[in-house]
């Protein structure tokens, strides 16, 4: 008898949960907002992480409902919903004009148990505002110029390393060289250490930084559950970062801080700038950062700046290999500016390289390394000129990959054409048609640094080497389906020939 009761309770619970989820999956329909059919219990996310990237789901929604409604609805697995914004004017309002209603992303963080997770990317509300205000002066043009010499030195090392290796074989996996180049630049600037992964691909720093990317503590699904139920996750002491990662980077940065303070050493890097904001008071002080906050932001700068910049350069070189005319035009510009600056690549010279900047923007358009922007609605938000409302507590996704690959905005979007970013062409488009670095008060704080190091890497390589595809070059490229960013799942083999 008891067994029968237990069995009945289990069956009733399963049926109730099934119908509850089914009911939740009708959320958008009940509000008259269009959505694609769902697969139980995956929502619109069936196959994401295995056979599909999240950009593919957003693209299908965008292609189906664009011009039919300002927003479409969609569902994550087990019923949670989000809105996809399809209208560029509305995107502008969300990211800029009505930012006060959309200042958070609602990513999970847990400062008490995992101080590394409380960083500028994840933090919310007033805490985020204060941190952003404190960190903004770290990224001015003057501060970028300050770090230029470090970047320039590491570019010399890249050329030296390639010269050594190309003697053996002119075909190289350029993705690997760029990952090591970027690791060394951001590692040096964010942590103040002398890392040289270009020389030693297996150095401890590279091993841990790779691990931070490729071996997360939890699955994406679990992280998404934590973001949906942050209070429960915090009560359960959930951490985002693996303990070995936290220990390694804490030891590293604390070591740098102690060494610099003891010997009164100042260098041209982020850690120097962050140390100027340091307080020894463990409680927060206006305009100051605790040691833990400094460590968390340094690691974030590394994580946010490494893969984005390295993938941008990799995709750009891949395109230049297949487009020799564009490559030659870029080389002509680089050589002209090089000559005008006493045969050196200077900060000012790098800033003058407009065509190279167009190549970077076209790469960020075609590949959209960050394929969506995320915001969270604080209050009910009635949409202008319609009966729709984005309800308080709704996550809003801005499908940047789809906008960047919309043939009505960028004709023949698969063609790589930097002239799309000629100033007069840019002026013809909607200001939200390009969102490679996001926009508004919560845009990419590191955009200047990202642009500087990407330009430096590309200018150095294009000036010194002719870049060609070879029999090992993958075509087309495949993407990692389970990464948040758009990144190549293939090694990118190219042939490099010295031209100087
Ligand atoms: C080519 C390189 C890069 C690209 C394409 C890129 C792109 C982006 C994008 C699209 C966002 C979201 C913006 C939004 O939601 O409106 C973002 C945020 C952010 N990026 Fe970058 N990024 C790059 C390099 C960097 C670098 C080098 C750093 C640090 C040194 C950095 C630090 C950050 C941080 C901290 C945020 C969060 C800002 C906040 O929430 O206040 N990024 N980035």
């Amino acid at each position: 008898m008891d067994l029968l009761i237990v069995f009945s309770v289990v069956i009733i619970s399963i049926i109730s949960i099934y119908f509850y989820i089914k009911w939740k999956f009708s959320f958008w329909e009940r509000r008259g907002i269009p959505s694609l059919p769902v697969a139980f219990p995956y929502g619109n996310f069936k196959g994401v992480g295995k056979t599909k990237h999240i950009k593919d789901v957003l693209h299908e929604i965008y292609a189906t409902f664009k011009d039919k409604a300002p927003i479409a609805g969609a569902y994550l697995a087990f019923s949670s919903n989000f809105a996809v914004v399809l209208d560029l004017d509305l995107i502008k309002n969300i990211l800029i004009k009505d930012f006060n209603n959309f200042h958070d992303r609602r990513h999970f963080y847990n400062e008490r148990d995992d101080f590394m997770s409380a960083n500028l990317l994840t933090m919310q509300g007033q805490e985020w505002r204060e941190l952003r205000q404190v960190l903004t002066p770290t990224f001015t043009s003057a501060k970028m110029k300050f770090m230029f010499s470090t970047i320039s030195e590491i570019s010399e090392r890249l050329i030296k390393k390639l010269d050594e290796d190309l003697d053996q074989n002119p075909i190289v996996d350029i993705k690997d060289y760029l990952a090591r180049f970027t690791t060394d630049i951001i590692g040096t600037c964010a942590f103040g250490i002398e890392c040289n992964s270009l020389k030693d691909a297996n150095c401890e720093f590279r091993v841990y930084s790779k691990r931070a990317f490729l071996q997360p503590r939890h699955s994406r699904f679990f992280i998404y559950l934590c973001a949906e139920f942050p209070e429960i996750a915090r009560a359960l002491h959930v951490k985002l970062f693996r303990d070995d990662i936290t220990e390694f980077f804490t030891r590293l940065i604390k070591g740098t801080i102690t060494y610099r303070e003891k010997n009164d050493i100042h260098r041209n890097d982020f850690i120097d700038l962050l140390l100027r904001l340091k307080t020894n008071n463990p409680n927060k002080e206006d305009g100051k950062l605790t040691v833990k906050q400094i460590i968390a932001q340094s690691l974030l700068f590394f994580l946010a700046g490494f893969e984005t910049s390295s993938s941008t350069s990799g995709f750009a070189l891949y395109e230049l290999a297949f487009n020799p005319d564009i490559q030659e035009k870029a080389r002509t510009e680089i050589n002209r500016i090089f000559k005008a600056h006493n045969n050196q690549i200077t900060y000012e010279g790098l800033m003058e390289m407009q065509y190279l900047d167009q190549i970077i923007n076209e790469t960020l358009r075609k590949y959209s390394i960050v394929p969506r922007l995320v915001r969270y609605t604080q209050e009910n938000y009635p949409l202008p000129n319609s009966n729709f409302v984005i309800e308080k507590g709704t996550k809003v996704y801005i499908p940047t990959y789809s906008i960047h690959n919309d043939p009505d905005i960028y004709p023949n979007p698969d063609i790589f054409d930097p002239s799309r970013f000629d100033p007069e062409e840019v002026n013809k488009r909607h200001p939200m048609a390009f969102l490679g670095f996001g926009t508004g008060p919560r845009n990419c704080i590191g955009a200047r640094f990202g642009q500087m190091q990407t330009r430096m890497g590309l200018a150095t390589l294009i000036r010194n080497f002719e870049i060609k595809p070879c029999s090992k070059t993958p075509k087309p490229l495949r993407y990692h389906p389970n990464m948040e960013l758009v990144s190549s799942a293939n090694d990118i083999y190219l042939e490099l020939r010295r031209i100087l």
Side-chain angles (χ1 to χ4, degrees):
M1 183 62 184
D2 281 355
L3 209 63
L4 189 65
I5 293 174
V6 171
F7 183 72
S8 310
V9 168
V10 170
I11 293 292
I12 290 169
S13 305
I14 291 174
I15 293 174
S16 310
I17 291 171
Y18 173 79
F19 280 105
Y20 174 70
I21 294 178
K22 283 287 260 188
W23 177 75
K24 292 276 274 183
F25 277 151
S26 65
F27 177 90
W28 294 113
E29 197 185 338
R30 281 181 274 127
R31 283 153 182 81
I33 291 174
S35 60
L36 290 176
V38 292
F40 185 90
Y42 306 100
N44 298 108
F45 273 56
K46 191 163 183 206
V48 170
K50 293 197 171 78
T51 53
K52 274 189 198 169
H53 192 278
I54 184 167
K55 74 177 171 54
D56 303 323
V57 172
L58 297 182
H59 200 52
E60 197 185 342
I61 296 171
Y62 180 87
T64 312
F65 300 117
K66 186 193 86 142
D67 296 332
K68 298 191 180 100
I71 60 169
Y75 301 94
L76 293 158
F78 296 100
S79 81
S80 167
N81 61 66
F82 62 92
V84 184
V85 191
L86 309 167
D87 176 82
L88 296 185
D89 287 333
L90 181 59
I91 290 176
K92 190 171 172 201
N93 288 348
I94 288 174
L95 294 177
I96 302 173
K97 182 172 152 279
D98 298 321
F99 176 76
N100 280 344
N101 198 15
F102 295 96
H103 46 72
D104 293 334
R105 300 196 176 91
R106 204 175 157 90
H107 288 336
F108 176 69
Y109 67 100
N110 178 4
E111 190 163 13
R112 185 193 54 194
D113 299 294
D114 178 14
F115 69 91
M116 288 287 202
S117 67
N119 58 42
L120 191 67
L121 185 79
T122 55
M123 284 173 92
Q124 303 184 1
Q126 193 51 25
E127 282 191 319
W128 166 76
R129 266 178 218 282
E130 283 167 16
L131 190 58
R132 176 100 188 190
Q133 213 171 6
V134 172
L135 292 176
T136 297
T138 309
F139 290 91
T140 58
S141 306
K143 302 287 166 53
M144 295 303 105
K145 202 171 164 184
F146 176 73
M147 286 186 256
F148 178 77
S149 58
T150 307
I151 296 188
S152 180
E153 259 172 53
I154 297 171
S155 307
E156 295 293 323
R157 278 194 230 153
L158 172 66
I159 297 297
K160 198 164 164 257
K161 176 71 185 148
L162 275 168
D163 275 342
E164 284 163 18
D165 294 356
L166 291 173
D167 271 351
Q168 320 290 324
N169 186 353
I171 292 171
V172 290
D173 170 13
I174 201 69
K175 197 173 103 173
D176 179 60
Y177 283 84
L178 290 167
R180 284 152 66 187
F181 170 68
T182 320
T183 299
D184 287 359
I185 289 182
I186 312 206
T188 308
C189 288
F191 305 120
I193 53 155
E194 192 43 48
C195 53
N196 196 345
S197 73
L198 272 168
K199 196 166 170 198
D200 176 8
N202 297 317
C203 66
E204 203 187 15
F205 180 75
R206 172 107 172 104
V207 169
Y208 276 94
S209 48
K210 255 183 162 176
R211 211 177 275 174
F213 269 99
L214 299 176
Q215 298 170 13
R217 187 177 187 121
H218 302 293
S219 68
R220 288 216 13 223
F221 182 64
F222 184 80
I223 295 171
Y224 132 71
L225 280 181
C226 294
E228 286 301 304
F229 307 103
E231 288 78 17
I232 299 177
R234 283 189 195 116
L236 294 172
H237 301 279
V238 171
K239 297 179 183 182
L240 280 188
F241 284 95
R242 294 159 51 119
D243 292 339
D244 58 339
I245 299 292
T246 304
E247 278 156 24
F248 175 76
F249 285 103
T250 303
R251 180 162 47 84
L252 192 79
I253 301 167
K254 275 194 172 162
T256 304
I257 296 177
T258 312
Y259 177 72
R260 291 206 181 172
E261 287 186 339
K262 213 164 139 197
N263 300 293
D264 193 25
I265 286 176
H266 294 278
R267 292 230 176 104
N268 299 339
D269 55 26
F270 281 120
I271 199 92
D272 189 275
L273 299 168
L274 293 177
L275 276 177
R276 296 178 194 187
L277 302 166
K278 176 177 159 250
T279 168
N280 289 326
N281 182 351
N283 300 314
K284 287 172 188 156
E285 250 180 77
D286 280 356
K288 294 282 177 192
L289 297 174
T290 63
V291 170
K292 282 187 172 176
Q293 284 179 316
I294 291 180
I295 296 172
Q297 308 326 308
S298 302
L299 182 61
L300 170 68
F301 292 167
F302 180 76
L303 295 179
F306 162 71
E307 180 76 27
T308 45
S309 306
S310 156
S311 287
T312 306
S313 309
F315 288 135
L317 289 173
Y318 178 80
E319 288 291 345
L320 294 185
F322 285 101
N323 292 283
D325 297 354
I326 298 174
Q327 185 182 149
E328 200 42 50
K329 190 170 170 186
R331 188 170 294 117
T332 306
E333 176 186 69
I334 295 162
N335 285 337
R336 178 177 52 76
I337 295 174
F338 186 81
K339 275 200 194 112
H341 288 264
N342 292 328
N343 291 333
Q344 278 175 354
I345 295 194
T346 60
Y347 175 79
E348 289 72 17
L350 209 58
M351 293 304 111
E352 283 169 32
M353 293 180 187
Q354 195 201 317
Y355 190 63
L356 191 61
D357 191 45
Q358 291 181 214
I359 289 177
I360 294 173
N361 285 345
E362 175 64 353
T363 307
L364 288 173
R365 177 203 68 77
K366 182 171 172 187
Y367 293 90
S368 300
I369 318 283
V370 182
R372 60 169 176 165
L373 307 179
V374 182
R375 296 292 187 269
Y376 180 75
T377 321
Q378 306 290 327
E379 298 295 338
N380 278 353
Y381 185 72
L383 302 188
N385 312 321
S386 88
N387 298 327
F388 297 148
V389 173
I390 304 180
E391 290 176 27
K392 176 181 172 170
T394 305
K395 259 196 178 178
V396 167
Y397 287 4
I398 289 149
T400 42
Y401 174 87
S402 306
I403 297 167
H404 293 168
N405 285 278
D406 179 340
D408 293 336
I409 304 176
Y410 296 99
N412 301 315
D414 290 343
I415 292 178
F416 185 82
D417 178 6
S419 73
R420 299 181 201 269
F421 287 90
D422 286 349
E424 57 279 13
E425 292 301 315
V426 174
N427 288 338
K428 285 184 204 157
R429 287 192 294 264
H430 193 287
M432 298 297 109
F434 179 66
L435 292 166
F437 292 96
T439 192
R442 201 149 193 181
N443 68 350
C444 174
I445 198 171
R448 279 200 186 99
F449 189 80
Q451 280 159 332
M452 176 170 70
Q453 66 172 355
T454 308
R455 276 192 206 188
M456 188 69 186
L458 291 178
T460 310
L461 289 169
I462 297 168
R463 206 176 90 75
N464 288 284
F465 302 99
E466 187 186 356
I467 301 145
K468 289 185 186 169
C470 62
S471 58
K472 283 173 86 181
T473 310
K475 199 168 184 199
L477 285 176
R478 282 181 303 107
Y479 305 113
H480 277 296
N482 59 349
M483 303 265 281
E484 175 70 31
L485 301 179
V486 174
S487 78
S488 166
N490 305 98
D491 295 335
I492 305 184
Y493 284 100
L494 296 173
E495 185 180 332
L496 266 60
R497 295 266 171 209
R498 200 57 154 122
I499 47 177
L500 282 177

